[in-house]
Amino acid sequence: MFEDPLFWLLVAPGVLLGLYAQARIKANVTKYAQVPTPRGVTGAEVARRLLDAQGLQDVHVEPTEGVLSDHYDPRTKVLRLSQQIYYTPSVAAAGIAAHETGHALQDAEDYFPMEARTYIVPVVQLASQVAPWAFVAGLMLNMNALTWIGVILFGSSFFFALLTLPVEFDASSRAKKLLVNHGIIGEDQIEGVDKVLDAAAWTYVAAAVSAVGVWLFYVLMMLGRGRSASASSR
C-alpha cells in the first residue's frame, strides 16, 4: 500500500493540510495567548458567563489535562477546558472557551448535525475496528464481498469527518457572536479570535480530506482488482 504512488497522491493533500493546520493553530494560539482579555476574564469565566447567559446553568465547566484537549461532552453536560485555557485571561482562551460553549448551545437546541454525529460515534468506533480485519481477511481469502465490506466500513470515518465540519464551523460562528454581543471581546480583538478559530477549523478540513483520500484509495484499489480479474478470465 505505502509503495503505491496512488496512495500518496490521494493521502498527501490531507497530510500537508494537517501539517499546515497544526502550524497555524500553534502560531495563532501562542500569539493570542499573550493578548489579555479587556477585563482579565479567564477561559473558565468566559464559558461560565456565556452558559449562564443562555440559561445553561446545568452545564458544568471543568479543567482537564492535556494541551488543547478542550471539548464539550453532551452525555454528561460537562464543558472541559485544558488548563492553559481554563486559567488564562487571554483572547485565545476566550475564543476556544466560547467555541466549546457553542457546542453546548448546539446540544441544548438539538442541532441536527451534532445530534447525528453523537449518535453515530459508537458505530464509527466499531466500524473502524472491524474494517481492517474484514479488508485483510477478504484479500487473504479472495472473497471480494468481504473485502468490499471492509471498504464500506472504512467509509464511515469519511462520513464522520464530513459531518464534523458543519458542527465545528457553526460552533465557531456562535462563539464570535457571543463574545462580541456579551462585551467579552471588543471589536478590535475579534480578529485574534477569528485567527485562532479559523486555524482550528483547518484541522477538521484536513481530517476530512485525509479520510476521503484513504477511502478513495481502497475503492480504486478494489475496482482495479476487479478489472484485472475480468481481464485475466478472458
Side-chain angles (χ1 to χ4, degrees):
M1 179 174 72
F2 296 111
E3 297 175 356
D4 192 331
L6 179 62
F7 175 80
W8 293 109
L9 180 65
L10 293 172
V11 174
V15 173
L16 294 175
L17 271 177
L19 293 173
Y20 169 73
Q22 288 299 325
R24 278 195 62 187
I25 194 169
K26 182 178 180 181
N28 284 308
V29 169
T30 299
K31 177 180 179 180
Y32 290 102
Q34 308 303 317
V35 180
T37 48
R39 282 174 287 280
V41 291
T42 64
E45 291 169 334
V46 168
R48 185 72 272 158
R49 184 181 301 182
L50 295 179
L51 289 168
D52 289 348
Q54 303 302 313
L56 298 179
Q57 287 84 2
D58 60 325
V59 176
H60 298 285
V61 182
E62 299 177 354
T64 189
E65 299 293 330
V67 178
L68 295 179
S69 53
D70 315 273
H71 64 280
Y72 168 71
D73 187 343
R75 298 165 301 176
T76 58
K77 310 300 181 188
V78 175
L79 193 159
R80 297 186 176 93
L81 300 175
S82 57
Q83 295 192 19
Q84 69 179 108
I85 302 301
Y86 189 94
Y87 296 107
T88 305
S90 71
V91 168
I96 293 171
H99 174 89
E100 299 307 328
T101 302
H103 287 313
L105 292 177
Q106 291 172 339
D107 183 32
E109 297 173 6
D110 295 326
Y111 181 62
F112 177 73
M114 183 182 186
E115 294 293 307
R117 188 181 70 168
T118 301
Y119 285 126
I120 70 169
V121 165
V123 177
V124 172
Q125 290 175 335
L126 178 62
S128 65
Q129 294 173 356
V130 174
W133 294 101
F135 185 80
V136 172
L139 290 178
M140 293 178 64
L141 299 174
N142 199 26
M143 297 174 61
N144 277 347
L146 183 58
T147 310
W148 272 111
I149 289 174
V151 172
I152 293 170
L153 291 176
F154 274 122
S156 64
S157 296
F158 159 55
F159 178 70
F160 181 79
L162 285 184
L163 195 57
T164 294
L165 294 179
V167 176
E168 298 301 331
F169 290 151
D170 179 76
S172 290
S173 177
R174 291 170 186 258
K176 297 169 191 177
K177 292 176 183 177
L178 287 170
L179 287 171
V180 173
N181 291 345
H182 290 275
I184 296 173
I185 294 293
E187 293 286 353
D188 58 327
Q189 290 186 318
I190 199 64
E191 180 184 358
V193 174
D194 275 330
K195 289 184 177 180
V196 170
L197 296 184
D198 289 350
W202 275 102
T203 63
Y204 299 106
V205 174
V209 172
S210 293
V212 70
V214 172
W215 185 65
L216 280 176
F217 172 75
Y218 287 121
V219 170
L220 293 175
M221 185 175 74
M222 287 302 297
L223 293 176
R225 282 171 56 85
R227 286 194 294 268
S228 297
S230 299
S232 62
S233 64
R234 292 174 185 172

